[in-house]
Amino acid sequence: MYKNGCKPNTVSYTALLNGLCRSGKSSEAREMMDLSEEEWWAPNAITYSVVMHGLRREGKLSESCDLVMEMVRKGFYPTPVEINLILQSFCREGRVNEAKKFMEDCLNKGCGVNVVNFTTVIHGFCQKDGLDDALSLLDDMYLTNTKPDAVTFTTIINALGKNGRIEKAIELTKKMIHRGLIPSPITYRSVIHTFCQRGRVEELLKLLEKMLSKQECRTAYNHIIEKLCGFGNLDRAYKLLGKVLRTASRIDGETCHVLIESYLNKGNPLLSYKVAC
């Protein structure tokens, strides 16, 4: 370009840096960007983004975070999607506390941190048995005027159930409903699995009534019966059968088939026949 009298501009350099990053040479791209003033060109938001994600893909997360802070000082702000990619990378490596610190730094610098970013870090803590840290971060969301959504609550409820903290799971589920959030199919499956595994069916049914008042889930009782069968609680499953035999749907038929097979596997053909009739 120089030979032909053309001086490369920001677009030209950004394309070059992108090529270096795609070739696994993000550190070289970073060094070239540091020399931008000497070369009389100025990186823009896209330039920073290209190098930032190049460093991230190569696992150089600390350098990537440093570049984000430099980017902000220059007046360019990463998007919540870009922030989340770095958070996910930290969490995948088990470096959840570093992910939290990076998110807090972004918040303090005025970056647009959203509910997805918080949920990513909360999920990271849940994966590392850091439930108390996850619950603390849930409280912090309200302090930053970021409202948790159904995915945020479901993530923690699922982790609480797996760790046997049923009372706290019930409390959070009720809190979610009270705040007007609609339980997702994943929320239903998580709650049903937890309570059926622990044999706390009566509590589950009471909680389910509250959940169904917010959002109808046609297959909720089907899931309960099938889970109870899976955990060997066939008598309780049989008592709930009336909840699903109101229509002659394929789903209801499959649920009955699961219960029939479970009785047969237990060596009880009489009750199996009773279900079939």
Side-chain angles (χ1 to χ4, degrees):
M1 291 180 73
Y2 282 112
K3 287 180 181 179
N4 290 289
C6 296
K7 185 180 177 181
N9 58 14
T10 299
V11 175
S12 307
Y13 274 107
T14 300
L16 175 59
L17 297 180
N18 185 49
L20 287 170
C21 290
R22 292 289 178 183
S23 301
K25 298 177 180 178
S26 58
S27 293
E28 188 176 332
R30 176 72 164 108
E31 290 172 11
M32 185 175 288
M33 195 168 70
D34 289 340
L35 298 172
S36 60
E37 288 186 16
E38 296 178 21
E39 299 292 338
W40 294 92
W41 68 279
N44 60 18
I46 298 173
T47 314
Y48 277 104
S49 180
V50 162
V51 180
M52 173 180 68
H53 291 302
L55 291 166
R56 176 187 60 80
R57 284 192 297 269
E58 291 179 31
K60 299 170 182 175
L61 300 180
S62 296
E63 293 175 49
S64 184
C65 291
D66 290 341
L67 190 58
V68 170
M69 294 301 111
E70 179 184 318
M71 177 182 180
V72 172
R73 285 195 297 272
K74 294 289 179 70
F76 303 115
Y77 290 86
T79 66
V81 174
E82 291 175 322
I83 291 171
N84 209 56
L85 287 169
I86 295 177
L87 295 176
Q88 286 175 333
S89 297
F90 271 124
C91 291
R92 273 195 295 268
E93 292 187 8
R95 299 161 63 182
V96 190
N97 285 316
E98 290 176 75
K100 182 185 176 186
K101 184 181 182 306
F102 171 66
M103 185 176 69
E104 289 172 344
D105 289 343
C106 288
L107 271 169
N108 293 333
K109 296 292 183 180
C111 299
V113 175
N114 64 14
V115 61
V116 177
N117 302 143
F118 272 97
T119 303
T120 295
V121 181
I122 285 172
H123 181 260
F125 277 124
C126 290
Q127 292 291 95
K128 286 203 70 178
D129 295 327
L131 267 174
D132 290 330
D133 290 316
L135 289 166
S136 175
L137 194 54
L138 180 67
D139 292 334
D140 290 345
M141 291 181 73
Y142 294 103
L143 298 176
T144 61
N145 202 28
T146 307
K147 295 180 181 179
D149 59 15
V151 177
T152 314
F153 276 104
T154 300
T155 299
I156 302 181
I157 291 167
N158 185 48
L160 287 167
K162 287 180 178 177
N163 284 269
R165 296 173 64 173
I166 305 297
E167 302 306 325
K168 190 65 179 177
I170 293 173
E171 179 189 327
L172 272 190
T173 305
K174 288 180 178 177
K175 187 176 182 179
M176 180 179 97
I177 295 167
H178 178 70
R179 292 185 181 278
L181 296 171
I182 298 174
S184 69
I186 296 173
T187 312
Y188 277 103
R189 285 198 293 270
S190 178
V191 170
I192 288 169
H193 177 86
T194 296
F195 281 79
C196 288
Q197 187 179 35
R198 306 278 171 176
R200 300 176 68 164
V201 184
E202 295 305 323
E203 291 166 284
L204 169 61
L205 295 176
K206 289 177 184 177
L207 187 59
L208 202 61
E209 284 181 14
K210 290 185 171 63
M211 292 172 71
L212 290 170
S213 68
K214 285 290 180 183
Q215 174 70 32
E216 184 179 351
C217 181
R218 170 69 184 78
T219 58
Y221 289 104
N222 299 75
H223 288 315
I224 295 174
I225 292 170
E226 290 169 18
K227 279 293 178 184
L228 288 171
C229 288
F231 291 121
N233 194 347
L234 304 187
D235 291 339
R236 197 66 189 84
Y238 181 76
K239 289 177 182 177
L240 287 173
L241 198 58
K243 296 279 189 181
V244 303
L245 292 181
R246 294 169 183 171
T247 62
S249 71
R250 179 182 58 81
I251 296 172
D252 292 345
E254 288 174 355
T255 300
C256 290
H257 187 259
V258 169
L259 185 55
I260 289 168
E261 278 198 338
S262 298
Y263 273 128
L264 287 173
N265 291 334
K266 285 280 187 178
N268 199 332
L270 187 60
L271 283 174
S272 180
Y273 176 77
K274 192 174 179 181
V275 173
C277 293

